[in-house]
Amino acid sequence: MERELAEIRGAIRDIPNFPKPGIVFKDITPLLGNGRLFQQTIDLLADRYRSRGIDTVLGIESRGFIIGAALAYSLGAGFCIVRKPGKLPYETHSASYELEYGSDTLEVHRDALSPGARVLIADDLVATGGTAAAASALVSALGAQVVECAFVIELSFLKAREKLKPHAVFSLIQYDSE
Ligand code: AMP
């Protein structure tokens, strides 16, 4: 397990000052490009949730689609997409959240989750937790329940776990500083 996680960590590339000065972007494309490590990443997440009765994995646009869809397939769960405004064709619910400058909105189809469904929120990375918190608000709005929020990467110095309370948070790889 430790060796597998070290290999996954080694395939994540730091891109300083992207998409803007001062941000160190965690680029997972080398990880996704390595079939063995991509599979290992999904297997480690899926093993954690196999016996947790997950009905639906919710993936957040856009890298959350990659991680979440693979995870849903592995678990035999449904997959629910949460997108930026104006992308979903049917009636939607929306949730807004604060960014460093301004705010952003996420949308979900209003029939995407069954009432009471056990939902796993998935994304590639959690930073402040604002995005996942908005996704969890959408889950609640549809009458479903968040079992946990799962990420490949957690920027733990940004304290998303505080923001996402009372929801449980799990991540494979943590960074304690930039
Ligand atoms: P937050 O809402 O602050 O938790 O930001 C999480 C979302 O922004 C996720 O969808 C990430 O893919 C993306 N994100 C935020 N910070 C980074 C970063 N340093 N590197 C890569 N993606 C990031």
Side-chain angles (χ1 to χ4, degrees), residues 23-26 63 97 123-131 155:
I23 303 285
V24 180
F25 190 86
K26 300 293 182 192
R63 288 181 298 274
Y97 58 105
D123 205 351
D124 67 325
L125 180 147
V126 63
T128 65
T131 308
L155 304 184

Side-chain angles (χ1 to χ4, degrees), residues 76-88:
F79 185 59
C80 164
I81 65 177
V82 162
R83 300 203 66 179
K84 307 281 166 57
K87 304 271 191 171
L88 290 169

Side-chain angles (χ1 to χ4, degrees), residues 5-53:
L5 290 174
E7 278 190 303
I8 292 168
R9 185 184 284 265
I12 297 165
R13 174 166 61 191
D14 279 0
I15 311 281
N17 302 313
F18 183 89
K20 54 186 181 186
I23 303 285
V24 180
F25 190 86
K26 300 293 182 192
D27 178 18
I28 61 165
T29 59
L31 171 58
L32 298 176
N34 181 316
R36 185 176 62 83
L37 293 182
F38 183 25
Q39 189 172 53
Q40 206 161 282
T41 301
I42 299 303
D43 286 349
L44 285 172
L45 290 171
D47 287 348
R48 178 177 173 85
Y49 297 108
R50 223 172 282 292
S51 61
R52 298 280 296 275

